[in-house]
Amino acid sequence: MSIVVENSTVLSALTEKFAEVFGDTKEVEYFFSPGRINLIGEHTDYNGGYVFPASITIGTTGLARLREDKKVKLYSENFPKLGVIEFDLDDVENKDGELWSNYVKGMIVMLKGAGYEIDKGFELLIKGEIPTASGLSSSASLELLVGVVLDDLFKLSVPRLELVQLGQKTENDYIGINSGILDQFAIGFGEVKKAILLDCNTLKYEMVPVELRDYDIVIMNTNKPRALTESKYNERFAETREALKRMQTKLDIQSLGELSNEEFDANTDLIGDETLIKRARHAVYENNRTKIAQKAFVAGNLTKFGELLNASHASLKNDYEVTGLELDTLAETAKKQAGVLGARMTGAGFGGCAIALVAHDNVSAFEKAVGEVYEEVVGYPASFYVAQIGSGSTKLDVE
Ligand code: GLA
């Protein structure tokens, strides 16, 4: 799969950089992998529930070519001070501290482990536009970028679902975060102007046209420096697993995603701990909310959809406790503005981004008003972008 693009100034500049870093541009190939937003269905993926994400046009671009030896040479426009990171193909089991090259090494390890032959080195130059720690999945974007690069360079023909799963495995087993499949799936399967309703239990999915009429999805970035996202994330994972285990002493379920709100409420005594009940209640209610939200979205009932976005944020704040001052200020200020149907955090939380459904004509006034309140409360500015729903990870045919 590839998409045809015009040689833009961005691609020309990257081509020049490739020549500067790696000598020339003979046989170089171009690739792109998006970031994602999640419309609704947060912290449901690893609880066997539904998610409703979309890939966005902001992402990671890569230029790559094979080498004849076994050296891998990497360069990121985002970390010029690191220069060229170099390692041998036989050295991929060793992690590079905290460096971005671990995502490349991890994908090589996972692909080889799945039986794919990667027997030569390569050169890869990347430029990421997704702000780090923004919760728009810069890491899954990079994993899937490396996935499509290696798939193409080594003619592996990896089925897309497997590539997505190997991206998740990289995150889980190489990087060490117990994340679900939301990010990699949204990024691997995204399509222009479509959202994805994914059942994380069965991996059955449905592409849903995004028709917002006079509304835009505005992404609001807290710009909060990276917090304890990883450890807190793994803590929530453990808490919902424990709640499930306790419910399984009486209920015949494999995941919290199987429960209706009523079934859950009738059985909370099995959990017996207030914090664990709150965590599990979010997982169950958010999953059921997502199913209703998708139906409202498809029916064109954006008002109802917006109300569910607000309810999702409240649950993530009060029951799951993954929001914080920055995300709450954005979402709660946003929903009070003229022309706004709803707002919520998106992604793992603790920092990162929120989204709001805003009438097109109100977007400028909205950004100004929310921006002012945010800076006053938090002490530094937020950033705003109108989301464009773009394609999933792909090779680019540059004309
Ligand atoms: C992160 C994880 C996803 C998902 C979200 C929360 O983005 O990588 O798997 O759990 O948080 O919905």
Side-chain angles (χ1 to χ4, degrees):
M1 191 179 82
S2 69
I3 57 173
V4 181
V5 292
E6 272 176 41
N7 195 353
S8 64
T9 42
V10 174
L11 289 184
S12 306
L14 287 179
T15 310
E16 268 176 40
K17 191 73 195 178
F18 191 95
E20 188 189 315
V21 175
F22 296 120
D24 59 60
T25 57
K26 235 169 49 199
E27 291 177 12
V28 70
E29 305 280 5
Y30 296 77
F31 304 85
F32 176 76
S33 185
R36 65 101 189 88
I37 49 173
N38 189 20
L39 297 173
I40 192 162
E42 216 66 83
H43 289 280
T44 47
D45 60 350
Y46 55 89
N47 285 308
Y50 280 84
V51 291
F52 192 33
S55 48
I56 54 177
T57 51
I58 306 172
T60 317
T61 304
L63 278 64
R65 70 175 170 200
L66 281 177
R67 289 176 60 90
E68 285 307 316
D69 58 14
K70 289 199 151 193
K71 294 221 171 321
V72 178
K73 295 191 177 194
L74 310 171
Y75 183 87
S76 168
E77 283 270 62
N78 302 78
F79 302 104
K81 285 204 185 118
L82 294 177
V84 175
I85 300 174
E86 192 178 318
F87 56 85
D88 200 87
L89 253 196
D90 301 322
D91 187 31
V92 284
E93 301 287 343
N94 290 323
K95 277 212 203 167
D96 288 335
E98 298 292 309
L99 298 188
W100 71 274
S101 44
N102 285 329
Y103 293 93
V104 183
K105 286 187 162 181
M107 283 302 284
I108 297 173
V109 169
M110 296 312 156
L111 279 161
K112 281 182 150 183
Y116 293 100
E117 199 177 343
I118 297 173
D119 50 359
K120 280 186 189 159
F122 58 93
E123 287 156 2
L124 170 66
L125 177 141
I126 67 159
K127 182 180 167 74
E129 296 170 299
I130 307 169
T132 36
S134 63
L136 302 176
S137 282
S138 55
S139 55
S141 177
L142 177 56
E143 285 151 11
L144 268 291
L145 179 83
V146 175
V148 289
V149 164
L150 298 180
D151 185 54
D152 183 77
L153 293 184
F154 295 96
K155 310 261 172 297
L156 302 176
S157 300
V158 187
R160 186 48 67 114
L161 180 60
E162 187 178 3
L163 207 58
V164 159
Q165 287 169 322
L166 293 174
Q168 185 194 4
K169 208 165 159 32
T170 296
E171 198 74 55
N172 295 165
D173 299 347
Y174 198 89
I175 304 295
I177 302 177
N178 284 325
S179 50
I181 202 161
L182 162 66
D183 305 343
Q184 290 81 7
F185 202 98
I187 286 167
F189 281 91
E191 286 178 24
V192 179
K193 293 198 176 138
K194 302 244 173 78
I196 309 172
L197 181 75
L198 169 67
D199 177 349
C200 300
N201 223 356
T202 60
L203 297 185
K204 287 206 177 107
Y205 69 100
E206 191 185 321
M207 302 305 296
V208 180
V210 175
E211 278 154 18
L212 299 174
R213 300 193 298 272
D214 301 333
Y215 286 85
D216 286 333
I217 296 167
V218 178
I219 301 175
M220 310 178 277
N221 189 347
T222 61
N223 289 326
K224 183 178 176 181
R226 195 179 267 290
L228 290 167
T229 314
E230 286 83 1
S231 58
K232 287 280 178 196
Y233 186 95
N234 285 346
E235 188 181 295
R236 293 297 176 277
F237 179 91
E239 286 167 337
T240 44
R241 279 289 178 282
E242 178 60 28
L244 171 66
K245 216 171 92 194
R246 294 187 188 186
M247 294 196 100
Q248 283 170 329
T249 55
K250 288 266 167 59
L251 302 181
D252 182 20
I253 52 169
Q254 301 303 314
S255 73
L256 294 173
E258 290 169 38
L259 295 173
S260 68
N261 295 353
E262 295 70 29
E263 282 163 338
F264 177 77
D265 288 341
N267 286 286
T268 50
D269 56 328
L270 295 174
I271 303 178
D273 172 277
E274 224 8 79
T275 303
L276 294 184
I277 291 173
K278 283 189 343 179
R279 304 298 188 248
R281 183 165 57 217
H282 168 76
V284 172
Y285 275 56
E286 177 77 352
N287 179 42
N288 294 317
R289 186 159 38 234
T290 302
K291 293 188 237 173
I292 300 170
Q294 187 260 356
K295 290 206 176 78
F297 193 82
V298 170
N301 191 346
L302 294 181
T303 305
K304 170 98 189 251
F305 186 73
E307 283 163 10
L308 294 165
L309 297 186
N310 293 338
S312 166
H313 187 89
S315 173
L316 287 154
K317 176 184 177 181
N318 301 321
D319 277 350
Y320 221 59
E321 298 184 271
V322 293
T323 57
L325 175 71
E326 299 82 1
L327 284 167
D328 291 339
T329 303
L330 284 179
E332 286 162 11
T333 311
K335 74 177 190 193
K336 291 186 204 140
Q337 304 303 313
V340 174
L341 296 182
R344 61 178 290 274
M345 56 154 270
T346 191
F350 309 105
C353 287
I355 54 169
L357 198 51
V358 187
H360 184 70
D361 292 342
N362 291 74
V363 169
S364 308
F366 168 87
E367 292 183 358
K368 188 164 180 292
V370 178
E372 277 171 12
V373 173
Y374 184 80
E375 191 160 354
E376 197 175 312
V377 174
V378 174
Y380 52 82
S383 314
F384 299 86
Y385 337 86
V386 172
Q388 311 287 344
I389 313 298
S391 89
S393 309
T394 182
K395 183 175 185 184
L396 302 175
D397 278 334
V398 182
E399 289 194 325

Coordinates of all heavy atoms in Angstrom, one line a residue, residues 65-142:
R65 N 16.7 3.7 3.3 CA 17.3 2.8 2.3 C 18.1 1.7 2.9 O 18.6 1.9 4.0 CB 18.1 3.6 1.2 CG 19.4 4.1 1.8 CD 20.2 4.8 0.7 NE 21.3 5.5 1.3 CZ 22.0 6.4 0.7 NH1 21.7 6.8 -0.5 NH2 23.0 7.0 1.3
L66 N 18.3 0.7 2.1 CA 19.1 -0.5 2.6 C 20.6 -0.2 2.6 O 21.0 0.6 1.8 CB 18.8 -1.7 1.7 CG 17.5 -2.5 1.9 CD1 17.4 -3.6 0.9 CD2 17.5 -3.1 3.3
R67 N 21.3 -0.9 3.4 CA 22.8 -0.9 3.3 C 23.2 -2.3 2.9 O 22.5 -3.3 3.0 CB 23.4 -0.5 4.6 CG 23.2 0.9 5.0 CD 23.8 1.2 6.4 NE 25.2 0.9 6.5 CZ 26.1 1.8 6.2 NH1 25.8 3.0 5.9 NH2 27.4 1.5 6.3
E68 N 24.5 -2.4 2.5 CA 25.0 -3.7 2.1 C 25.6 -4.5 3.3 O 25.7 -5.7 3.3 CB 26.0 -3.6 1.0 CG 25.4 -3.3 -0.4 CD 24.3 -4.3 -0.8 OE1 24.5 -5.5 -0.5 OE2 23.3 -3.9 -1.3
D69 N 25.9 -3.7 4.4 CA 26.5 -4.4 5.6 C 25.4 -4.5 6.6 O 24.2 -4.5 6.3 CB 27.7 -3.5 6.1 CG 27.2 -2.1 6.5 OD1 26.0 -1.9 6.5 OD2 28.1 -1.2 6.7
K70 N 25.8 -4.7 7.9 CA 24.8 -5.0 8.9 C 24.6 -3.8 9.9 O 24.1 -4.0 11.0 CB 25.1 -6.3 9.7 CG 25.0 -7.5 8.9 CD 24.9 -8.7 9.8 CE 24.1 -9.8 9.2 NZ 23.7 -10.8 10.1
K71 N 25.0 -2.6 9.4 CA 24.9 -1.5 10.3 C 23.6 -0.8 10.1 O 23.1 -0.6 9.0 CB 26.0 -0.5 10.0 CG 27.4 -1.0 10.3 CD 28.2 0.1 10.9 CE 29.6 -0.4 11.4 NZ 29.5 -1.7 12.1
V72 N 23.0 -0.3 11.3 CA 21.8 0.5 11.2 C 22.2 1.9 11.6 O 22.9 2.1 12.6 CB 20.7 -0.1 12.2 CG1 19.5 0.8 12.2 CG2 20.3 -1.5 11.8
K73 N 21.9 2.9 10.8 CA 22.2 4.3 11.1 C 21.0 5.1 11.1 O 20.2 5.1 10.1 CB 23.2 4.8 10.0 CG 24.5 4.0 10.1 CD 25.6 4.7 9.2 CE 26.9 4.0 9.3 NZ 28.0 4.8 8.8
L74 N 20.8 5.8 12.2 CA 19.5 6.6 12.4 C 19.8 8.0 12.7 O 20.8 8.3 13.4 CB 18.8 6.0 13.6 CG 18.6 4.5 13.6 CD1 18.0 4.1 15.0 CD2 17.6 4.1 12.5
Y75 N 19.0 8.9 12.1 CA 19.1 10.3 12.4 C 17.7 10.9 12.6 O 16.8 10.7 11.8 CB 19.8 11.0 11.3 CG 20.1 12.5 11.6 CD1 21.2 12.9 12.3 CD2 19.1 13.4 11.1 CE1 21.4 14.3 12.6 CE2 19.3 14.8 11.4 CZ 20.4 15.2 12.1 OH 20.6 16.5 12.4
S76 N 17.5 11.7 13.6 CA 16.2 12.4 13.8 C 16.4 13.9 13.8 O 17.2 14.4 14.5 CB 15.6 12.0 15.2 OG 14.5 12.8 15.5
E77 N 15.6 14.5 13.0 CA 15.6 16.0 12.9 C 15.1 16.6 14.2 O 15.4 17.7 14.5 CB 14.6 16.4 11.8 CG 15.1 16.3 10.4 CD 15.8 17.5 9.9 OE1 16.8 17.9 10.5 OE2 15.3 18.1 8.9
N78 N 14.5 15.8 15.1 CA 14.0 16.3 16.4 C 15.1 16.3 17.4 O 15.0 16.9 18.4 CB 12.8 15.5 16.9 CG 11.7 15.5 15.9 OD1 11.7 14.8 14.9 ND2 10.7 16.3 16.1
F79 N 16.1 15.4 17.2 CA 17.2 15.4 18.2 C 18.6 15.5 17.4 O 19.4 14.6 17.5 CB 17.2 14.0 18.9 CG 15.9 13.8 19.6 CD1 15.0 12.9 19.1 CD2 15.6 14.4 20.8 CE1 13.7 12.7 19.7 CE2 14.4 14.2 21.5 CZ 13.5 13.3 20.9
P80 N 18.8 16.7 16.8 CA 20.0 16.9 16.0 C 21.3 16.7 16.9 O 22.3 16.2 16.4 CB 19.9 18.3 15.5 CG 18.8 18.9 16.3 CD 17.9 17.9 16.8
K81 N 21.2 17.0 18.2 CA 22.4 16.9 19.0 C 22.9 15.5 19.2 O 24.0 15.3 19.5 CB 22.1 17.5 20.4 CG 22.0 19.0 20.4 CD 22.3 19.6 21.8 CE 22.1 21.1 21.8 NZ 21.1 21.5 22.7
L82 N 21.9 14.5 19.0 CA 22.3 13.1 19.1 C 23.2 12.7 17.9 O 23.8 11.7 18.0 CB 21.1 12.2 19.3 CG 20.3 12.4 20.5 CD1 19.1 11.5 20.5 CD2 21.1 12.1 21.8
G83 N 23.1 13.4 16.8 CA 23.8 13.1 15.6 C 23.3 11.7 15.1 O 22.1 11.3 15.3
V84 N 24.2 11.0 14.4 CA 23.8 9.7 13.9 C 23.9 8.6 15.0 O 25.0 8.5 15.6 CB 24.6 9.3 12.6 CG1 24.3 7.9 12.1 CG2 24.5 10.3 11.5
I85 N 22.8 7.9 15.2 CA 22.9 6.8 16.2 C 23.2 5.5 15.4 O 22.5 5.3 14.4 CB 21.5 6.6 16.9 CG1 21.2 7.9 17.7 CG2 21.6 5.4 17.9 CD1 19.8 7.9 18.3
E86 N 24.2 4.8 15.8 CA 24.6 3.6 15.0 C 24.6 2.4 15.8 O 25.1 2.4 17.0 CB 26.0 4.0 14.4 CG 26.4 3.0 13.4 CD 27.8 3.4 12.8 OE1 28.1 4.6 12.6 OE2 28.6 2.5 12.6
F87 N 24.1 1.3 15.3 CA 24.3 0.0 16.0 C 24.3 -1.1 15.0 O 23.9 -0.9 13.8 CB 23.2 -0.2 17.1 CG 21.8 -0.1 16.6 CD1 21.2 -1.2 16.0 CD2 21.1 1.1 16.7 CE1 19.8 -1.2 15.6 CE2 19.7 1.1 16.2 CZ 19.1 0.0 15.7
D88 N 24.7 -2.3 15.4 CA 24.8 -3.4 14.6 C 23.5 -4.2 14.7 O 22.9 -4.3 15.7 CB 26.0 -4.3 15.0 CG 26.5 -5.2 13.9 OD1 27.3 -4.8 13.1 OD2 25.9 -6.3 13.9
L89 N 23.1 -4.8 13.6 CA 21.9 -5.6 13.6 C 21.9 -6.7 14.6 O 20.8 -7.1 15.1 CB 21.7 -6.3 12.2 CG 20.7 -5.8 11.2 CD1 20.4 -6.8 10.2 CD2 19.3 -5.4 11.9
D90 N 23.1 -7.2 15.0 CA 23.2 -8.2 16.0 C 23.1 -7.7 17.4 O 23.2 -8.5 18.4 CB 24.4 -9.1 15.8 CG 24.5 -9.7 14.4 OD1 23.4 -10.1 14.0 OD2 25.5 -9.7 13.8
D91 N 23.0 -6.4 17.5 CA 23.0 -5.8 18.9 C 21.7 -5.2 19.3 O 21.6 -4.3 20.2 CB 24.1 -4.7 18.8 CG 24.4 -4.1 20.2 OD1 24.3 -4.8 21.2 OD2 24.7 -2.9 20.3
V92 N 20.6 -5.6 18.7 CA 19.3 -5.0 18.9 C 18.7 -5.4 20.3 O 17.8 -4.7 20.7 CB 18.3 -5.3 17.8 CG1 18.6 -4.5 16.6 CG2 18.3 -6.8 17.5
E93 N 19.2 -6.4 20.9 CA 18.6 -6.8 22.2 C 19.0 -5.8 23.3 O 18.3 -5.7 24.3 CB 19.1 -8.2 22.7 CG 18.7 -9.3 21.7 CD 17.2 -9.7 21.7 OE1 16.5 -9.3 22.6 OE2 16.8 -10.3 20.7
N94 N 20.1 -5.1 23.1 CA 20.5 -4.1 24.1 C 19.9 -2.7 23.9 O 19.9 -2.1 22.9 CB 22.1 -3.9 24.0 CG 22.8 -5.1 24.4 OD1 22.4 -5.8 25.4 ND2 23.9 -5.4 23.7
K95 N 19.2 -2.3 25.0 CA 18.5 -1.0 24.9 C 19.5 0.2 24.9 O 20.5 0.1 25.6 CB 17.6 -0.9 26.1 CG 16.3 -1.6 25.8 CD 15.2 -0.8 26.6 CE 14.0 -1.5 27.0 NZ 13.2 -0.8 27.9
D96 N 19.1 1.3 24.2 CA 19.9 2.5 24.2 C 19.4 3.5 25.3 O 18.9 4.5 24.9 CB 19.8 3.2 22.9 CG 20.5 2.4 21.7 OD1 21.4 1.7 22.0 OD2 20.1 2.6 20.6
G97 N 19.5 3.1 26.5 CA 19.0 4.1 27.6 C 17.6 4.5 27.3 O 16.7 3.7 27.1
E98 N 17.4 5.8 27.2 CA 16.1 6.4 26.9 C 15.9 6.8 25.5 O 15.0 7.5 25.2 CB 15.8 7.6 27.8 CG 15.8 7.2 29.3 CD 14.6 6.4 29.7 OE1 13.5 6.7 29.4 OE2 14.9 5.3 30.3
L99 N 16.8 6.5 24.6 CA 16.8 7.1 23.3 C 15.7 6.6 22.4 O 15.2 5.5 22.5 CB 18.1 6.8 22.6 CG 19.4 7.4 23.2 CD1 20.6 7.2 22.3 CD2 19.2 8.9 23.5
W100 N 15.3 7.4 21.4 CA 14.3 7.1 20.4 C 14.6 5.8 19.6 O 13.7 5.1 19.1 CB 13.9 8.3 19.5 CG 15.0 8.6 18.5 CD1 16.1 9.4 18.7 CD2 15.0 8.2 17.1 NE1 16.8 9.5 17.5 CE2 16.2 8.7 16.5 CE3 14.2 7.3 16.4 CZ2 16.5 8.5 15.2 CZ3 14.6 7.1 15.0 CH2 15.7 7.7 14.5
S101 N 15.9 5.5 19.5 CA 16.3 4.4 18.7 C 15.8 3.1 19.3 O 15.7 2.1 18.6 CB 17.9 4.3 18.6 OG 18.4 4.6 19.9
N102 N 15.4 3.1 20.6 CA 14.8 1.8 21.1 C 13.6 1.4 20.4 O 13.3 0.2 20.3 CB 14.5 2.1 22.6 CG 15.7 2.1 23.5 OD1 16.7 1.4 23.2 ND2 15.7 2.9 24.5
Y103 N 12.8 2.3 19.9 CA 11.6 1.9 19.1 C 12.0 1.2 17.8 O 11.3 0.3 17.4 CB 10.7 3.2 18.9 CG 10.1 3.7 20.1 CD1 10.8 4.7 20.8 CD2 9.0 3.2 20.7 CE1 10.3 5.2 22.0 CE2 8.5 3.7 21.9 CZ 9.1 4.7 22.5 OH 8.6 5.2 23.7
V104 N 13.1 1.6 17.3 CA 13.6 1.0 16.0 C 14.1 -0.4 16.4 O 13.7 -1.4 15.8 CB 14.7 1.8 15.4 CG1 15.1 1.1 14.1 CG2 14.2 3.2 15.1
K105 N 14.9 -0.5 17.4 CA 15.4 -1.8 17.9 C 14.3 -2.7 18.3 O 14.3 -3.9 17.9 CB 16.4 -1.6 19.1 CG 17.7 -0.9 18.7 CD 18.6 -1.0 20.0 CE 20.1 -0.8 19.6 NZ 21.0 -0.8 20.7
G106 N 13.3 -2.2 19.0 CA 12.2 -3.0 19.4 C 11.5 -3.6 18.3 O 11.1 -4.8 18.3
M107 N 11.2 -2.8 17.2 CA 10.5 -3.3 16.1 C 11.3 -4.4 15.4 O 10.7 -5.4 14.9 CB 10.1 -2.2 15.1 CG 8.9 -1.3 15.6 SD 7.4 -2.3 15.8 CE 6.8 -2.6 14.2
I108 N 12.6 -4.2 15.3 CA 13.5 -5.2 14.6 C 13.4 -6.5 15.4 O 13.2 -7.6 14.9 CB 14.9 -4.8 14.6 CG1 15.0 -3.5 13.7 CG2 15.8 -5.9 14.0 CD1 16.4 -2.9 13.7
V109 N 13.5 -6.4 16.8 CA 13.4 -7.6 17.6 C 12.1 -8.3 17.4 O 12.0 -9.6 17.2 CB 13.6 -7.2 19.1 CG1 13.2 -8.4 20.0 CG2 15.0 -6.7 19.4
M110 N 11.0 -7.6 17.4 CA 9.6 -8.2 17.3 C 9.4 -8.8 15.9 O 8.9 -9.9 15.8 CB 8.5 -7.2 17.6 CG 8.6 -6.6 19.0 SD 8.7 -7.9 20.2 CE 9.4 -7.0 21.6
L111 N 9.9 -8.2 14.9 CA 9.7 -8.7 13.5 C 10.5 -10.0 13.4 O 10.0 -11.0 12.9 CB 10.1 -7.7 12.4 CG 9.0 -6.6 12.1 CD1 9.6 -5.4 11.4 CD2 7.9 -7.3 11.3
K112 N 11.8 -9.9 13.8 CA 12.6 -11.1 13.7 C 12.0 -12.3 14.6 O 12.0 -13.4 14.1 CB 14.0 -10.8 14.3 CG 14.9 -10.1 13.3 CD 16.3 -9.9 13.9 CE 17.4 -9.8 12.9 NZ 18.7 -9.7 13.5
G113 N 11.5 -11.9 15.8 CA 10.9 -12.9 16.6 C 9.7 -13.6 16.0 O 9.4 -14.7 16.3
A114 N 9.0 -12.8 15.1 CA 7.8 -13.4 14.4 C 8.2 -14.1 13.2 O 7.4 -14.6 12.4 CB 6.9 -12.2 14.1
G115 N 9.5 -14.3 12.9 CA 10.0 -15.1 11.8 C 10.3 -14.3 10.6 O 10.6 -15.0 9.5
Y116 N 10.3 -13.0 10.6 CA 10.6 -12.2 9.4 C 12.1 -12.0 9.3 O 12.8 -11.8 10.3 CB 9.9 -10.9 9.4 CG 8.4 -11.1 9.3 CD1 7.6 -11.0 10.4 CD2 7.8 -11.4 8.0 CE1 6.2 -11.2 10.3 CE2 6.5 -11.6 7.9 CZ 5.7 -11.5 9.1 OH 4.3 -11.7 8.9
E117 N 12.6 -12.1 8.1 CA 14.1 -12.0 7.9 C 14.6 -10.6 7.6 O 14.2 -9.9 6.7 CB 14.5 -12.9 6.7 CG 16.0 -13.2 6.7 CD 16.4 -14.2 5.6 OE1 15.5 -14.8 5.0 OE2 17.6 -14.2 5.3
I118 N 15.4 -10.1 8.6 CA 16.0 -8.8 8.4 C 17.5 -9.0 8.5 O 18.0 -9.2 9.6 CB 15.5 -7.8 9.5 CG1 14.0 -7.6 9.4 CG2 16.2 -6.5 9.5 CD1 13.3 -6.9 10.5
D119 N 18.1 -9.1 7.4 CA 19.5 -9.5 7.4 C 20.5 -8.5 6.9 O 21.7 -8.8 6.8 CB 19.6 -10.8 6.5 CG 19.0 -10.5 5.1 OD1 18.4 -9.4 4.9 OD2 19.0 -11.5 4.3
K120 N 20.0 -7.3 6.7 CA 20.9 -6.2 6.3 C 20.7 -5.0 7.1 O 19.6 -4.8 7.7 CB 20.7 -5.8 4.8 CG 21.3 -6.8 3.8 CD 21.1 -6.2 2.5 CE 21.5 -7.2 1.4 NZ 20.9 -6.9 0.1
G121 N 21.7 -4.1 7.1 CA 21.5 -2.8 7.8 C 20.7 -1.8 6.9 O 20.3 -2.2 5.8
F122 N 20.4 -0.7 7.5 CA 19.7 0.3 6.7 C 20.0 1.7 7.3 O 20.5 1.8 8.4 CB 18.2 0.0 6.7 CG 17.5 -0.1 8.0 CD1 16.9 1.0 8.6 CD2 17.5 -1.3 8.7 CE1 16.3 0.9 9.9 CE2 16.9 -1.4 10.0 CZ 16.3 -0.3 10.6
E123 N 19.6 2.7 6.6 CA 19.7 4.1 7.0 C 18.3 4.7 7.1 O 17.5 4.4 6.2 CB 20.5 4.9 6.0 CG 22.0 4.6 6.1 CD 22.8 4.9 4.8 OE1 22.2 5.4 3.9 OE2 24.0 4.6 4.8
L124 N 18.0 5.4 8.2 CA 16.7 6.0 8.4 C 16.8 7.4 8.9 O 17.5 7.6 10.0 CB 15.9 5.1 9.3 CG 14.5 5.6 9.8 CD1 13.5 5.8 8.7 CD2 13.9 4.7 10.9
L125 N 16.2 8.3 8.3 CA 16.1 9.7 8.8 C 14.7 10.0 9.1 O 13.8 9.7 8.2 CB 16.6 10.7 7.7 CG 16.6 12.2 8.0 CD1 17.8 12.9 7.5 CD2 15.4 12.8 7.4
I126 N 14.4 10.5 10.2 CA 13.0 10.8 10.5 C 12.8 12.3 11.0 O 13.7 12.9 11.5 CB 12.4 9.9 11.6 CG1 13.1 10.2 13.0 CG2 12.5 8.5 11.3 CD1 12.2 9.7 14.2
K127 N 11.5 12.7 10.8 CA 11.1 14.0 11.4 C 9.7 13.9 11.9 O 8.8 13.5 11.2 CB 11.1 15.1 10.3 CG 10.8 16.5 10.8 CD 10.8 17.5 9.7 CE 10.1 18.8 10.1 NZ 10.9 19.6 11.0
G128 N 9.6 14.1 13.2 CA 8.3 13.9 13.9 C 7.7 15.3 14.1 O 8.4 16.2 14.6
E129 N 6.4 15.4 13.8 CA 5.7 16.7 14.0 C 4.8 16.6 15.2 O 4.2 17.6 15.7 CB 4.8 17.0 12.8 CG 5.4 17.3 11.5 CD 4.4 17.3 10.4 OE1 3.7 16.3 10.2 OE2 4.3 18.4 9.8
I130 N 4.7 15.4 15.8 CA 3.8 15.2 17.0 C 4.6 15.7 18.2 O 5.6 15.2 18.5 CB 3.4 13.8 17.2 CG1 2.8 13.2 15.9 CG2 2.4 13.6 18.3 CD1 2.7 11.7 15.9
P131 N 4.0 16.7 18.9 CA 4.8 17.2 20.1 C 5.0 16.0 21.1 O 4.0 15.2 21.3 CB 3.9 18.2 20.7 CG 2.9 18.6 19.6 CD 2.8 17.4 18.7
T132 N 6.2 15.9 21.6 CA 6.4 14.8 22.6 C 5.5 15.0 23.8 O 5.3 16.1 24.2 CB 7.9 14.7 23.0 OG1 8.4 16.0 23.1 CG2 8.7 13.8 22.1
A133 N 5.1 13.9 24.5 CA 4.3 13.9 25.7 C 3.0 14.6 25.4 O 2.3 15.0 26.4 CB 5.0 14.7 26.8
S134 N 2.5 14.7 24.2 CA 1.2 15.3 23.9 C 0.1 14.3 24.0 O -1.1 14.7 23.9 CB 1.3 15.9 22.5 OG 1.4 14.9 21.5
G135 N 0.4 13.0 24.1 CA -0.7 12.1 24.2 C -1.3 11.8 22.8 O -2.4 11.2 22.7
L136 N -0.6 12.2 21.7 CA -1.2 12.0 20.4 C -0.4 10.8 19.8 O -0.4 10.6 18.6 CB -1.0 13.2 19.5 CG -1.8 14.5 20.0 CD1 -1.5 15.7 19.2 CD2 -3.3 14.2 20.1
S137 N 0.3 10.1 20.6 CA 1.0 8.8 20.2 C 2.2 9.0 19.3 O 2.3 8.3 18.3 CB -0.1 7.9 19.5 OG -0.8 7.3 20.5
S138 N 3.1 9.8 19.7 CA 4.3 9.9 18.9 C 5.0 8.6 18.9 O 5.7 8.2 17.9 CB 5.2 11.0 19.4 OG 5.5 10.9 20.8
S139 N 4.9 7.8 20.0 CA 5.7 6.5 20.0 C 5.1 5.5 19.1 O 5.8 4.8 18.4 CB 5.9 6.0 21.4 OG 4.7 5.9 22.1
A140 N 3.8 5.4 19.1 CA 3.1 4.4 18.2 C 3.3 4.8 16.8 O 3.5 4.0 15.9 CB 1.7 4.2 18.5
S141 N 3.3 6.1 16.5 CA 3.6 6.6 15.2 C 4.9 6.2 14.7 O 5.1 5.7 13.6 CB 3.5 8.2 15.2 OG 3.8 8.7 13.9
L142 N 5.9 6.3 15.6 CA 7.3 5.8 15.2 C 7.4 4.3 15.0 O 8.0 3.8 14.1 CB 8.3 6.3 16.3 CG 9.7 5.9 16.2 CD1 10.3 6.3 14.8 CD2 10.5 6.5 17.3

